[in-house]
Amino acid sequence: MSKIRIVADSTCDLTPDLIEKHGISILPLNIVLDMTSYCDGEEIVPDEIYAWAEKNRRTPKTAAVAFDRALDLIRPMMENGDEVIFIGISGEMSTTCNVLRLVKEELGYERMFIIDSGNLSTGIGLQVLRAAELAEAGRSAEEITAEIEGARDKVRASFVVERLDYLAMGGRCSTVTALLGGKLNLKPRVEVKGGKMAAGKKYRGTQDKVILKYVQDMRESLLEADPGRVFITHSGCPEPVIAEVKQYLEALDVFQDIRITRAGGVISSHCGPGTLGVLYYTR
């Protein structure tokens, strides 16, 4: 019996339990250390990436989902008569959505829908979960696609970084490069807007204090958030810091579901250790 299959790439940073619960299929991006490529989330973990980056004084390269890997996943879904909705990382940051468009063209798969999330990390994950829940509720592929794309600009994705050098070396956020050469130890709030990353408010101080101030500064917008779900996504932060952020969100009494996730290899490669973000839909 045919059904709607939800497919995402590994940068959605969803936890294994959520992926399993909703039957989501994940396609890995690739992380390249010197001449060796590793599948994100399958062959390498962030701490190994950090060790390599510190040793070599540079960040690894990252690459889109491999065409053959995507083809091998999608073809059986088509042969089964399923409909596919793919939600991928922003086209401003990766060519992954284009790879899936090539797969669709190669297969002549009319019932495959490709959504550019315009986002990264659990800014994608929020959209993936909403699509899965809509499919479970019996909505059509066209309805799901229209709803996800229509609400894309309501996703609020931001984070504060501890290490500017990772973002600067990765080249995904050009506005941090100017800050890197300063001696003020500034830590920017990086926001996703129009599918791109840009540095906003700058903080100063130890990362634990910066993270709490960042979350406190979001109070008004958090009170106006969609109450369904919020993600605390980090790239390796101390448990007490994460717990303090969760307690703050709980005290707001807004969200029904507060999820903590660890960023995967691709996101960690560009943001570095000590990064934390709060991601949600606004109403």
Side-chain angles (χ1 to χ4, degrees), residues 99-236:
V99 171
L100 271 293
R101 292 184 185 104
L102 291 173
V103 168
K104 176 177 179 176
E105 182 179 349
E106 173 76 13
L107 295 172
Y109 196 175
E110 294 183 2
R111 302 305 297 166
M112 181 177 177
F113 301 82
I114 298 164
I115 300 174
D116 180 338
S117 71
N119 227 297
L120 51 67
S121 189
T122 43
I124 309 168
L126 285 162
Q127 298 175 64
V128 172
L129 290 178
R130 180 170 284 192
E133 290 165 352
L134 290 169
E136 290 159 9
R139 301 284 289 278
S140 71
E142 285 88 353
E143 289 173 328
I144 295 168
T145 300
E147 182 154 338
I148 298 302
E149 291 183 335
R152 180 167 44 206
D153 291 342
K154 293 184 177 182
V155 176
R156 297 293 177 263
S158 66
F159 50 93
V160 284
V161 298
E162 184 170 27
R163 296 278 301 272
L164 286 177
D165 51 341
Y166 276 78
L167 270 178
M169 287 188 289
R172 294 299 194 277
C173 186
S174 58
T175 51
V176 306
T177 305
L179 299 175
L180 190 61
K183 298 179 180 180
L184 299 177
N185 193 28
L186 294 175
K187 299 173 181 179
R189 166 179 168 148
V190 177
E191 302 170 345
V192 179
K193 293 183 177 180
K196 300 178 181 180
M197 289 190 288
K201 182 173 181 176
K202 285 80 174 177
Y203 297 92
R204 192 180 303 162
T206 60
Q207 187 68 352
D208 56 341
K209 301 281 195 308
V210 165
I211 286 173
L212 187 58
K213 185 66 170 66
Y214 150 75
V215 179
Q216 290 170 340
D217 284 348
M218 298 170 68
R219 177 181 172 83
E220 294 305 317
S221 57
L222 288 167
L223 291 173
E224 295 298 320
D226 183 302
R229 179 179 291 118
V230 62
F231 279 106
I232 302 167
T233 301
H234 69 98
S235 64

Side-chain angles (χ1 to χ4, degrees), residues 16 27 37 55 66 89 95 122 144 168 181 184 200 260 281:
L27 282 167
S37 181
K55 179 181 178 181
I89 184 172
T95 59
T122 43
I144 295 168
L184 299 177
I260 297 170
Y281 272 107

